[in-house]
């Protein structure tokens, strides 16, 4: 049986090793690029290749969790790869620095910084979620999945320039909202 994008998920669920080989051939470059962007500055080429392999192994093992109604197999794979790469990055940083990245805060100031950082991250995610479509989808594809402008343009039916303009406006809106949040924090701190 020939493997295609249409039957890839079902063939993987049927444990067809040829489907896994197909997935690696078709999506390997996407996964490698994503992993490289996350751990390239820290890890070696071998670390990146090992992480890419682990992402495909995880997809093979967890294929039963894939739900076509929630998105494409490619998106699911890239999400798995992203989290795998973030785990690798954390481990590589721990190994390189000799101290865990998520060490316990040593003072009240450190604890406040950690809490504020987490709150700020949650605020940023909420702001991105508030973007109208297709701006939200474009922003996520570009800055979370590291997709090229050309791919985003092709998927959305927009020109590359239109995608660039939407990303520019989204970044501006995010900056403005973050500035407003910082002003609110400053105001709250003075009260």
């Amino acid at each position: 049986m020939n493997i295609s994008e249409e039957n890839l998920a079902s063939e993987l669920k049927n444990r067809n090793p040829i489907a896994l080989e197909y997935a690696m051939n078709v999506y390997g470059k996407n996964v490698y690029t994503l992993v490289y962007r996350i751990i390239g500055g820290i890890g070696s080429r071998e670390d990146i290749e090992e992480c890419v392999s682990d992402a495909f192994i995880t997809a093979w093992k967890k294929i039963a969790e894939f739900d076509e109604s929630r998105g494409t197999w490619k998106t699911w794979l890239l999400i798995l790869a992203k989290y795998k790469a973030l785990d690798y990055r954390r481990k590589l940083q721990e190994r390189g620095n000799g101290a865990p990245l998520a060490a316990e805060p040593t003072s009240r100031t450190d604890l406040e910084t950690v809490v504020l950082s987490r709150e700020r991250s949650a605020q940023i995610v909420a702001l991105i979620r508030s973007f109208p479509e297709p701006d939200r989808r474009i922003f996520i594809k570009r800055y979370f999945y590291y997709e090229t402008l050309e791919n985003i343009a092709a998927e959305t039916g927009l020109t590359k320039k239109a995608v660039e303009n939407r990303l520019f406006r989204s970044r501006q809106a995010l900056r403005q909202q973050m500035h407003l949040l910082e002003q609110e924090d400053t105001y709250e701190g003075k009260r």
Side-chain angles (χ1 to χ4, degrees):
M1 168 179 236
N2 285 338
I3 307 296
S4 66
E5 290 186 35
E6 290 76 30
N7 68 358
L8 175 61
S10 63
E11 287 299 312
L12 285 169
K13 287 179 181 180
N14 291 334
R15 312 311 275 165
N16 183 345
I18 296 170
L20 181 60
E21 183 179 343
Y22 173 88
M24 293 172 77
N25 288 335
V26 172
Y27 300 111
K29 184 176 179 183
N30 297 102
V31 173
Y32 187 94
T33 301
L34 175 63
V35 169
Y36 176 81
R37 289 186 180 183
I38 295 173
I39 66 173
I42 298 171
S44 66
R45 195 172 103 217
E46 290 80 17
D47 293 322
I48 294 166
E49 290 171 359
E50 182 180 340
C51 183
V52 169
S53 295
D54 281 355
F56 280 103
I57 291 169
T58 301
W60 175 258
K61 289 179 180 177
K62 294 186 173 189
I63 188 62
E65 297 174 17
F66 171 65
D67 180 3
E68 290 181 45
S69 67
R70 298 185 70 203
T72 66
W73 192 84
K74 177 183 176 184
T75 301
W76 183 75
L77 173 66
L78 290 174
I79 290 169
L80 288 177
K82 175 186 173 189
Y83 287 111
K84 186 64 68 179
L86 290 171
D87 285 345
Y88 266 73
R89 180 180 179 89
R90 181 182 47 79
K91 289 174 187 173
L92 289 168
Q93 286 175 325
E94 287 174 2
R95 185 175 35 173
N97 296 339
L101 195 83
E104 290 295 316
T106 56
S107 70
R108 179 184 168 111
T109 306
D110 289 345
L111 180 60
E112 288 172 0
T113 302
V114 169
V115 169
L116 289 174
S117 174
R118 288 181 182 160
E119 286 177 8
R120 182 68 68 214
S121 294
Q123 290 170 334
I124 291 170
V125 169
L127 289 171
I128 293 168
R129 286 184 177 157
S130 72
F131 288 171
E133 287 296 346
D135 295 348
R136 175 180 43 224
R137 187 175 63 229
I138 290 170
F139 192 89
I140 290 170
K141 283 179 177 291
R142 180 67 176 155
Y143 297 115
F144 288 85
Y145 296 127
Y146 305 104
E147 289 193 22
T148 64
L149 294 172
E150 293 79 11
N151 285 349
I152 296 170
E155 287 179 26
T156 58
L158 299 169
T159 65
K160 182 179 170 187
K161 189 67 177 169
V163 170
E164 289 173 344
N165 288 336
R166 286 177 182 269
L167 288 169
F168 176 77
R169 285 194 304 271
S170 294
R171 287 191 310 268
Q172 277 188 318
L174 193 57
R175 259 189 232 110
Q176 289 171 346
Q177 291 298 319
M178 292 305 298
H179 182 70
L180 291 173
L181 289 172
E182 288 171 8
Q183 286 179 333
E184 287 176 13
D185 289 348
T186 302
Y187 176 75
E188 290 293 321
K190 290 181 181 178
R191 288 175 56 191

